[in-house]
Amino acid sequence: MSQIRRRSLIKAGGVLAGAMSIGGLTTTASATGSVFAHGIASGDPTPDGLVLWTRVTPEPDALPGSGVGAACAVDWEVAADEGFANVVARGSLITGAWRDHTVKVDVAGLPAGQWLWYRFRALGEVSRTGRTRTAPAADAPLQRLRVGVVSCSNWQAGHFAAYRHLASRGDLDAVLHLGDYLYEYAPGEFQARDVVVRPHDPPVEMTTLEHYRRRHAQYKTDPDLADLHASVPFVVTWDDHESANDAWSGGAENHTEGAEGSWTDRRSASQRAYAEWMPVRYEPGGFLHRRLRFGTLAELSMLDLRSHRSQQVSTPLDPGIGDPARTITGDEQMRWLTGGLANSTAQWKLIGNPVMIAPVRFPSTLSIEERRAIGELTGTPEIQGLPYNVDQWDGYTADRDEVLGVLHERGITDTVFLTGDIHSAWAAELPFSPATYPLDGNSVGTELVCTSVTSDNLDDILRVPPRTASLAVEAAIRANNPHVKHLDFDSHGFSVLDVTAERVQMDWFALDDRTRPSTGAQRTVSFEVPAGSQQVHQVSEGIR
């Protein structure tokens, strides 16, 4: 049997069986029979451990965010078989209103590189059974790593059918969620087509701990998300909407100091709720950036590009864009990132990157309407026909130069940035010198960007049918940015990334209709990065 790690993520109690009464703990099940109404999840796989998560409802009034409800004993167990004949780890702990009755435990001592099953018991009920997988040993010669890649899942904009399609595959080792797992807006806000498929709860913009807890709880009730969480471990990071749009270390575009409280309090509330409700090895006051190893094949570095960044410049013409005193990573995280790249012994260096790092210059040939739509999509103003997205690495070029400089100077190969945020699909090379690329052929890495699960794309903002106005926009951007090899401004869906020693390949899948929960999905395009090339190439066949 294994033990909970010493840095356990919840207060531990003595070993309890089922619904035994100890020290005044609640001993009766919820009147609705839905003790585990918010599902179960796992995350952050290491060779010997995993984070397990659930939330219990000990009584009808103990609703998320309510701050009420008695403390509750919860048992957990992990087995090498679905029938739990071979239990490899078990334990018990106590949860309560102090952490919104969530349960998060960092289990150690598990066998490396194995599929495992887990479940919880509380108040006479047993949760559904979850399936998860530990990472292989760091020195194991892993043949293949396959992960789902998603970001930008706005509850109000559609159903999470992308999660259903990923859950039905059965061939994923993990799911990588690159941010905007949930959105802060009130019902009807941030909806380009004025269509609210399903309204947010609470019916206000999130600003308080109660709000953030309730919104997390609402998202966890989505059946497709619940199924995906129960079928494969997640590796997550946040972007801005987990707190507020265009967040930075001292504020956010979508935060009004005073009228919406202090940013310090609001950010603390969002981070506390995130730590409580997500299967992630993070607690408030700690660091979200972290690194996971998958044998000798790949190392995954997850970035936090909101907590430590300088405030965004106000226009793309601001000389502060290149000011080395401004940062998107923060000094500590930059040292951690570049040091990890320089010293990694894994073949593929994968970077979980919330916002795009590839330089993008929008052409002045676009129409006024198209430029304004792109400005709305990227969250930056239209300036003299060239609306740069200064909320991504384009607004912090000194930091980008430092990262790309390390890749160039150290001769580091096989670095792939995996990115979300921008509600569009991209495949790009990372030129060391954009002004001379592609003539000099000096690409130091690549970037693959997944589209949104549901959040509005260019066709939604322009209110036109998909693949109409965007085709000209995409062609113009590619012509002005020769390192960009693929761009799709219109699709909603998900991606699948397949990693082998020979190449990394991403398949993009587009939903037929994000507003229908039963909608189908089609593979739209596939690109690969051959080992040692630092280039992306379109391929005709999808991952097998």
Side-chain angles (χ1 to χ4, degrees), residues 256-300:
T256 303
E257 194 72 11
E260 295 179 312
S262 74
W263 173 248
T264 300
D265 290 344
R266 183 175 182 179
R267 184 177 67 174
S268 295
S270 69
Q271 292 178 350
R272 179 174 173 182
Y274 191 90
E276 292 169 347
W277 280 87
M278 298 295 290
V280 59
R281 201 170 277 114
Y282 165 79
E283 286 294 281
F287 291 112
L288 183 64
H289 63 268
R290 62 207 187 280
R291 189 169 287 125
L292 301 173
R293 178 77 176 234
F294 297 90
T296 59
L297 183 63
E299 196 166 62
L300 173 62

Side-chain angles (χ1 to χ4, degrees), residues 373-428:
I374 293 172
E376 183 176 344
L377 182 67
T378 61
T380 56
E382 180 224 339
I383 300 296
Q384 296 186 357
L386 296 172
Y388 292 82
N389 187 352
V390 295
D391 187 54
Q392 55 193 40
W393 290 76
D394 265 334
Y396 304 83
T397 57
D399 271 7
R400 180 171 64 198
D401 290 347
E402 183 171 353
V403 174
L404 300 187
V406 168
L407 297 178
H408 173 70
E409 293 161 10
R410 300 292 189 96
I412 300 168
T413 60
D414 297 340
T415 301
V416 183
F417 286 80
L418 305 172
T419 306
D421 173 67
I422 202 167
H423 307 181
S424 46
W426 303 65

Side-chain angles (χ1 to χ4, degrees), residues 131-147:
R131 176 175 175 263
T132 190
R133 185 171 185 149
T134 51
D139 59 353
L142 184 64
Q143 299 298 309
R144 180 183 300 275
L145 175 68
R146 186 171 293 177
V147 298

Side-chain angles (χ1 to χ4, degrees), residues 2 5 43-51 88 106-116 133-140 142 281 291-296 298-299:
S2 72
R5 296 182 195 271
D44 279 0
T46 63
D48 74 333
L50 288 155
V51 173
V88 297
D106 195 353
V107 184
L110 299 176
Q114 288 193 24
W115 284 107
L116 300 166
R133 185 171 185 149
T134 51
D139 59 353
L142 184 64
R281 201 170 277 114
R291 189 169 287 125
L292 301 173
R293 178 77 176 234
F294 297 90
T296 59
E299 196 166 62

Side-chain angles (χ1 to χ4, degrees), residues 54-95:
T54 192
R55 199 265 180 184
V56 297
T57 305
E59 53 201 63
D61 291 340
L63 299 175
S66 66
V68 303
C72 176
V74 183
D75 299 332
W76 58 269
E77 56 185 347
V78 182
D81 64 300
E82 192 171 6
F84 287 83
N86 182 15
V87 174
V88 297
R90 61 161 51 100
S92 289
L93 38 79
I94 309 299
T95 188

